[in-house]
Amino acid sequence: MSIRLTRWGHACIRLDRGGDRLVIDPGVFSDLPSALDGVQAVLVTHEHPDHVATEPVVEAVQGGLQVWAPQSVVDVLLGAGAPADRVHPVRAGETFSAGGFDVAALGEWHALVHQDVPRVHNVGYLVEGVLHPGDAYIDPEGAQVDVLCTPLGAPWLKLGEVVDYVRSVGPARIVVVHDAMLSAIGQGMANGLLGRLGGAGEPISLDPGEGIDL
């Protein structure tokens, strides 16, 4: 059975396969009611609000949702009232099942913004061929990547480095994420460069609610 990958804005993607449902990085710039509707599990890469909207996620956890995230995120969710038995800390190198999907946790640190900005823990997730790196250039450690969720615009990001990252991962396809800070013109220019230089074909840009079958 194929997996449906749907994007719900900025860095938030959802995977559906029959009754299996999983969301990665439901942040404040995303359509959270649609993204979280009927979902069993959530993965969070790191603590920044554009990747995890604390109050809506805690409310969903209180309703039965399970969350996997770095310890710093777990601490925030527990402090906001999430039940401890539904929030699970993860570290690089761990594998587990979430929402019916096999997941590998990779990497440990957010990319450097500036030497004066403390770095936070960032865990990327490889979910059955889909790699979501969060805010870092996560190494898939030799694993085959069908779809790389590719950040397009951020304070820590240089587009030339993104091109090199796509080349190093060698995915079959790239789905653009993390672009809320870019204008339509900026998105078009960045996508054009990635398409010409990245080696993974034309970037797939999905509006909220749009998706592809894997």
Side-chain angles (χ1 to χ4, degrees):
M1 182 179 296
S2 65
I3 297 172
R4 181 72 173 175
L5 184 156
T6 308
R7 187 175 177 228
W8 286 108
H10 195 52
C12 180
I13 66 165
R14 172 169 167 159
L15 303 176
D16 288 83
R17 179 181 57 197
D20 300 332
R21 302 178 183 90
L22 175 66
V23 165
I24 305 176
D25 279 2
V28 296
F29 299 150
S30 306
D31 181 350
L32 296 180
S34 298
L36 296 176
D37 183 32
V39 166
Q40 303 155 334
V42 160
L43 309 178
V44 177
T45 61
H46 65 285
E47 63 198 65
H48 291 158
D50 58 326
H51 292 259
V52 56
T54 299
E55 292 183 6
V57 170
V58 168
E59 182 178 350
V61 173
Q62 291 170 340
L65 184 77
Q66 302 278 333
V67 175
W68 284 260
Q71 185 64 55
S72 57
V73 178
V74 169
D75 293 341
V76 170
L77 297 179
L78 293 179
D85 61 340
R86 297 178 191 153
V87 183
H88 314 284
V90 294
R91 299 182 64 180
E94 296 181 343
T95 58
F96 53 95
S97 178
F101 294 90
D102 294 329
V103 181
L106 302 166
E108 187 173 5
W109 292 103
H110 192 288
L112 182 67
V113 176
H114 185 272
Q115 61 183 2
D116 293 340
V117 178
R119 297 174 75 184
V120 299
H121 286 283
N122 180 101
V123 175
Y125 298 103
L126 181 62
V127 185
E128 301 190 22
V130 178
L131 176 59
H132 193 309
D135 282 4
Y137 301 120
I138 295 293
D139 182 358
E141 300 177 4
Q144 182 174 347
V145 176
D146 179 25
V147 173
L148 175 62
C149 298
T150 307
L152 202 64
W156 54 271
L157 180 154
K158 180 179 179 181
L159 197 57
E161 294 176 348
V162 177
V163 169
D164 289 340
Y165 177 54
V166 172
R167 289 179 175 180
S168 70
V169 173
R173 292 174 283 182
I174 56 177
V175 168
V176 170
V177 296
H178 215 288
D179 58 0
M181 288 180 283
L182 298 180
S183 68
I185 293 173
Q187 291 175 13
M189 292 178 64
N191 279 324
L193 188 68
L194 279 179
R196 291 195 304 273
L197 302 178
E202 289 300 312
I204 301 170
S205 295
L206 302 172
D207 289 330
E210 291 185 340
I212 58 173
D213 291 319
L214 309 182

